[in-house]
């Protein structure tokens, strides 16, 4: 079973690979706190100094071209081991974890980070790793390796969105006997939920959303988005977050105004990762609301997206 092999890999890497061992032990001591919005929406904050390499990663074309790809198999550290997933992917332990169990799942081939045509892969991974949430960061939405296609996965029970699903009211956009599309009501950031047990329908719906988003925003090389996927109760759940901005203005400030936060899938899932303790200490609920408003779609655009999708 894949999950057993992955658990063995985690045990082996965190006991024998010094870097992974140090960072996973350090994660146990990571500072955390929570804010509550609207009486029921949870947002967590984690201070995680080792994530500075990802949060502040330079992802412009020049910087990418000047460094070796750290996801290519030939460039992996000699201590890194892997579990094969099909013919195209390998599963690695992420040595700079956010989750107590954090995986990176790159393609063997060095190819750009575009989700189009790979949703079936994401759904298969989520089903084969039922204790995990699989996630995708777009090339300008938190991926620190936008030049090499990869998913990531973290253990369930970590991101507040998993519990928010049952706490927050939702509106059904489209439905049939075994699949449906919903949106959260008043959720700080825009999110479309696809759920059901038919991978072909969910993939078709995702591709329809992708096409509408691309037509509306004309964003290149793909619409800005983050995705979470999980399998539970004999069905998938996909949380899709349309984005209008990579990083908020606070990221680029200096001095007291700076908050070094570069939102990606985990942040939009309700766990904000701050690599500096000063940001962990000073961030406020109003900062969080403002950051989400900056990076998420406006209500008017999001409404148009859901209305166009409902027609298809």
């Amino acid at each position: 079973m894949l999950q057993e092999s992955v658990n063995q890999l985690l045990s082996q890497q965190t006991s024998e690979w010094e870097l992974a061992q140090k960072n996973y032990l350090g994660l146990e001591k990571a500072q955390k706190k929570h804010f509550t919005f609207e009486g029921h929406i949870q947002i967590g904050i984690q201070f995680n100094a080792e994530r500075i390499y990802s949060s502040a990663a330079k992802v412009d074309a020049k910087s990418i071209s000047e460094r070796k790809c750290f996801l290519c198999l030939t460039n992996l550290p000699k201590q890194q081991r892997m579990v094969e997933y099909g013919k195209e992917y390998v599963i690695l332990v992420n040595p700079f974890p956010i989750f107590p169990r954090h995986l990176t799942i790159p393609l063997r081939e060095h190819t750009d980070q575009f989700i189009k045509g790979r949703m079936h892969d994401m759904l298969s991974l989520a089903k084969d790793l039922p204790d995990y949430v699989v996630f995708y960061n777009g090339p300008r939405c938190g991926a620190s390796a936008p030049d090499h296609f990869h998913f990531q996965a973290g253990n369930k029970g970590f991101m507040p969105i998993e519990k928010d699903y049952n706490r927050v009211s939702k509106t059904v956009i489209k439905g049939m006997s075994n699949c449906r599309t919903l949106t959260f009501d008043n959720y700080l950031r825009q999110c479309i939920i696809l759920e059901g047990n038919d991978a072909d329908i969910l993939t078709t719906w995702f591709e329809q959303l992708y096409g509408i988003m691309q037509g509306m925003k004309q964003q290149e090389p793909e619409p800005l988005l983050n995705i979470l996927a999980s399998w539970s109760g004999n069905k998938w759940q996909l949380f899709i977050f349309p984005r209008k901005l990579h990083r908020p203005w606070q990221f680029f400030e200096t001095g007291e105004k700076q908050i070094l936060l570069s939102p990606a899938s985990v942040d939009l899932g309700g766990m904000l990762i701050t690599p500096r303790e000063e940001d962990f200490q000073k961030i406020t609920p109003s900062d969080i609301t403002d950051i989400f408003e900056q990076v998420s779609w406006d209500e008017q655009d999001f409404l148009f997206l859901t209305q166009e999708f409902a027609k298809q």
Side-chain angles (χ1 to χ4, degrees), residues 99 102 122 133-137 151-154 227-229 265-266:
F99 299 79
H102 191 163
M122 190 173 197
V133 177
V134 178
F135 56 100
Y136 170 81
N137 293 325
F151 297 109
Q152 295 183 69
I227 310 169
L228 306 172
S265 294
V266 176

Side-chain angles (χ1 to χ4, degrees), residues 179-190:
C179 294
R180 62 178 185 165
T181 305
L182 314 92
T183 60
F184 283 118
D185 301 326
N186 303 315
Y187 194 56
L188 301 181
R189 63 276 197 201
Q190 308 293 4

